[in-house]
Amino acid sequence: MNRFQARLFPHAPLNLRTLVRGNEIWLSVLAGFVGILSGLCVVVMTHLTFWMHRLLFGVSGVSGGHLSGLKALPPLRTVVVLSGGGLMIGLFGVLIAKIMPRSPVDPIEANALHGGRMSVRDSLVIVCQTVLSNGVGGSIGLEAGFTQIASAFGSRIGRSFRVRREDLRVLVGAGAGAAIGAAFDAPVAGAFYAFELVIGSYSLGSLSPVAVAALAGVGVTRFLGSVPPGIVIPSPGDLSWEGTAGAVLISVLTALTAIGLMFCVTQTEGLFRRMPGPVWLRPAVGGLIVGGLATLYPSVLSAGHEAMRTVFAGNVTARMAVVLLLLKALASCLCIGSGFRGGLFFASLYLGSLAGTIYGTLLAPLGVAPDSVTACALIGMSAMAVAVIGSPMTMVCLMLELTGSVSMSGATLVAAVLSLLTVRRLFGYSFATWRFHLRGESIRSAVDIGWMRSLNVRRMMRGQVRTLPAETSVSRAQTLFPPGSAQRIVLLDEAGHYDGIVHLAELHAAPSDQTPIRTLALFRNAMLTPLMNVREAIELFEKAEADALVVVEDPQSRQVIGTLTEQHALRRYAEELERSRRSLAGDDSLPT
């Protein structure tokens, strides 16, 4: 047992690593422990943020502890806090970049590319940045920080017990699901968040650990009395046939609005990136502008919990909803684009409720709007959140758990499906995976493709190579390599660098004379390198139309270190693909 196990189980008589590997019961026990830690993280981060709100803005219990519930804020104080907070965020980011130059890995990226491996230290940095960003009033939520640290704890505990790669990914997802469940007091939604966004699939093998973690996380928040206050939502009523048509239109229009929001975030980041001056000054500029907006409408601050309750209380008109939607979207774009750290999960719920209210009011004169403004807001919430987050079943379950309204379950499901289809067809990515795409990563979900990167040419190649100087005559080569002695010969120039491949059949088909064997060489400029992954290698085989290629140390030195055949690469690719497919299906018969 390692140090972690020795401290946790000082008198354990069994080798816990062996006990946990492949055992769903013990994996569920570990997931429950991860869920407890996740709930504690949610409680600590939430209370720390509220304490900062009270200290910096003078927030009292009147607004439920949320900035967005205030009617007014002191203008000078608001601008100073947000701009000063932005300056602190910028300086902190520069300091961290010098100490930790690598970019932190988030749960989706960890499960998709790194087999669930995350750093707790890097995640604590993200937590500090998220709490600071939200604590000074940034127009973003804490959910990204919740899932980051919770998933990191799941990864660390799993690696301490050396669980299988598939089980480690499940623990990472269990941590994220427990954090979301604790944040919203919605264990079912938290579990589906883990399945859809972090693990990338649902299987019977992952059901128990994820469910246990989500229930444990919610249980901790309820035990500590930190359950978020519920949203009082009037009865949405039943949905008529005309209202169903309106729900379809609201869903599509809200999805288009979400696409515009994601595009604007990217453009805002580009504007701040091109802004002259030091990097650490950008968050201060963004905070200054957001502070100016907050002096007019404080509801643009923070994630928008209390502001959304105002929408469902019927205190926001359609005209006011248009203003709030534009200002909240602008504030969120400015915060994320300038360098504030946080997510858009709850902000998307607030924006969606505003969008649903607006589009429902516009459709009312046409006679196709849902019967109530509440129904319009709920449909807009589901559509906006699914477009931004990319998790339809999570939002359907969250709507049911937040509202308790079964009558609207069908409408929210329709909204979720239509929103997802619209975004995938017109945009291609959710907000999280779109940001990976901007960094050059081809990730569209958390399905594990990291094995493709780890399965590189170095692992597949054959190190023994039959070489010959390129100046050797054909007759001499035919003597040295009689038929059947090899399939191909690798040629080297005078300096020992790669100079092509000659197939033995073509060698013996050539006239036996003093012509240099170089004249028969093929694929002189088609070379594999050790770090190429299996997909890149297969693409190079197809491009060169070769059945075998040489592996060189690097294209500059052209030092031959091995060979690889297309047949072997395809076979290994098919084996790993089948292994990945069976693990997604929860087949425990797979070898570890």
Side-chain angles (χ1 to χ4, degrees):
M1 293 188 295
N2 59 20
R3 187 183 304 174
F4 177 82
Q5 294 179 19
R7 290 180 179 177
L8 188 62
F9 303 102
H11 305 294
L14 298 176
N15 188 329
L16 294 178
R17 289 174 178 171
T18 304
L19 190 62
V20 171
R21 286 176 65 88
N23 191 314
E24 291 182 15
I25 296 178
W26 280 101
L27 186 64
S28 299
V29 173
L30 287 185
F33 186 60
V34 172
I36 293 173
L37 291 177
S38 303
L40 291 174
C41 291
V42 170
V43 172
V44 171
M45 290 177 63
T46 302
H47 283 281
L48 183 58
T49 304
F50 285 171
W51 174 80
M52 293 182 65
H53 289 172
R54 290 192 296 269
L55 177 66
L56 299 176
F57 295 95
V59 177
S60 63
V62 176
S63 64
H66 297 283
L67 283 177
S68 60
L70 298 177
K71 301 297 182 182
L73 284 170
L76 181 60
R77 184 176 187 176
T78 302
V79 172
V80 169
V81 169
L82 276 158
S83 57
L87 182 61
M88 292 179 60
I89 293 169
L91 294 174
F92 182 68
V94 171
L95 177 63
I96 290 300
K98 293 181 178 180
I99 300 175
M100 301 165 52
R102 67 178 182 272
S103 299
V105 176
D106 87 332
I108 297 176
E109 185 179 6
N111 269 6
L113 300 177
H114 305 288
R117 299 182 69 87
M118 296 179 65
S119 168
V120 174
R121 186 185 66 170
D122 292 356
S123 298
L124 287 174
V125 172
I126 298 295
V127 167
C128 293
Q129 292 175 316
T130 303
V131 171
L132 180 59
S133 299
N134 192 278
V136 299
S139 187
I140 44 182
L142 290 169
E143 292 80 18
F146 294 157
T147 57
Q148 180 73 31
I149 188 62
S151 298
F153 278 131
S155 177
R156 183 68 186 89
I157 291 174
R159 284 184 287 124
S160 297
F161 287 91
R162 296 182 182 177
V163 300
R164 300 178 304 177
R165 180 188 181 99
E166 294 81 5
D167 294 339
L168 184 60
R169 296 179 70 252
V170 169
L171 288 177
V172 169
I180 292 299
F184 290 94
D185 192 32
V188 179
F192 273 99
Y193 180 93
F195 293 134
E196 291 184 296
L197 280 180
V198 185
I199 300 175
S201 65
Y202 167 85
S203 67
L204 294 178
S206 60
L207 174 60
S208 175
V210 171
V212 169
L215 291 172
V218 173
V220 168
T221 55
R222 291 184 177 181
F223 177 77
L224 298 177
S226 300
V227 177
I231 302 173
V232 179
I233 299 179
S235 175
D238 297 326
L239 204 63
S240 61
W241 284 108
E242 295 81 3
T244 302
V248 170
L249 292 174
I250 291 173
S251 302
V252 175
L253 291 172
T254 304
L256 295 175
T257 304
I259 292 175
L261 173 65
M262 291 185 281
F263 180 78
C264 288
V265 169
T266 304
Q267 296 302 309
T268 306
E269 285 181 327
L271 288 175
F272 276 100
R273 202 176 294 116
R274 294 189 295 270
M275 188 182 75
V279 176
W280 51 264
L281 195 59
R282 295 172 188 172
V285 175
L288 179 64
I289 302 174
V290 173
L293 299 177
T295 59
L296 302 175
Y297 297 97
S299 61
V300 304
L301 297 180
S302 193
H305 293 72
E306 198 66 29
M308 191 173 70
R309 296 184 181 93
T310 304
V311 174
F312 283 106
N315 299 328
V316 176
T317 63
R319 182 174 298 180
M320 180 60 67
V322 173
V323 176
L324 294 177
L325 176 64
L326 294 175
L327 293 182
K328 178 63 177 179
L330 177 59
S332 297
C333 290
L334 287 169
C335 286
I336 295 178
S338 63
F340 282 69
R341 179 72 71 167
L344 287 178
F345 196 139
F346 205 99
S348 66
L349 297 179
Y350 176 43
L351 290 169
S353 66
L354 294 173
T357 301
I358 296 168
Y359 296 133
T361 303
L362 293 177
L363 293 175
L366 303 179
V368 294
D371 298 332
S372 66
V373 177
T374 302
C376 296
L378 288 174
I379 294 169
M381 282 173 60
S382 299
M384 179 69 75
V386 169
V388 173
I389 306 302
S391 51
M393 287 307 301
T394 300
M395 295 316 305
V396 172
C397 295
L398 183 60
M399 290 300 103
L400 287 174
E401 291 182 288
L402 286 179
T403 66
S405 174
V406 181
S407 61
M408 285 300 296
S409 59
T412 54
L413 179 60
V414 169
V417 171
L418 289 175
S419 177
L420 184 68
L421 292 176
T422 302
V423 171
R424 283 188 172 271
R425 181 66 177 174
L426 300 180
F427 197 67
Y429 300 87
S430 66
F431 182 68
T433 52
W434 167 244
R435 295 173 69 78
F436 293 136
H437 172 72
L438 294 178
R439 285 161 36 189
E441 299 285 1
S442 57
I443 305 174
R444 297 193 63 165
S445 72
V447 174
D448 186 10
I449 62 172
W451 60 267
M452 195 178 301
R453 290 189 172 184
S454 61
L455 184 60
N456 54 32
V457 171
R458 187 183 296 278
R459 292 179 55 190
M460 297 185 294
M461 73 179 188
R462 183 176 181 179
Q464 296 178 351
V465 183
R466 305 290 296 272
T467 62
L468 196 66
E471 296 299 326
T472 305
S473 65
V474 172
S475 60
R476 175 63 175 164
Q478 290 173 342
T479 303
L480 293 174
F481 292 92
S485 61
Q487 290 185 321
R488 59 194 64 86
I489 308 170
V490 176
L491 303 185
L492 304 178
D493 61 14
E494 295 82 356
H497 302 156
Y498 171 66
D499 198 26
I501 293 178
V502 174
H503 291 286
L504 204 63
E506 295 182 4
L507 172 63
H508 286 277
S512 180
D513 54 26
Q514 298 303 312
T515 304
I517 194 175
R518 177 186 288 118
T519 59
L520 304 177
L522 302 172
F523 317 124
R524 285 180 172 173
N525 296 317
M527 299 165 287
L528 299 169
T529 57
L531 297 183
M532 280 185 175
N533 62 48
V534 62
R535 176 173 289 180
E536 294 170 337
I538 292 173
E539 290 176 354
L540 187 56
F541 279 120
E542 293 178 353
K543 182 179 179 180
E545 298 182 358
D547 60 351
L549 288 173
V550 163
V551 183
V552 297
E553 193 65 45
D554 57 75
Q556 289 73 35
S557 68
R558 299 171 71 95
Q559 294 293 322
V560 177
I561 60 174
T563 59
L564 179 64
T565 65
E566 183 182 28
Q567 180 183 11
H568 182 66
L570 289 172
R571 182 171 61 83
R572 290 296 307 276
Y573 179 78
E575 289 173 353
E576 292 294 332
L577 194 63
E578 176 65 12
R579 183 178 184 276
S580 176
R581 185 195 66 78
R582 293 174 65 187
S583 67
L584 290 178
D587 189 345
D588 292 331
S589 63
L590 289 171
T592 58

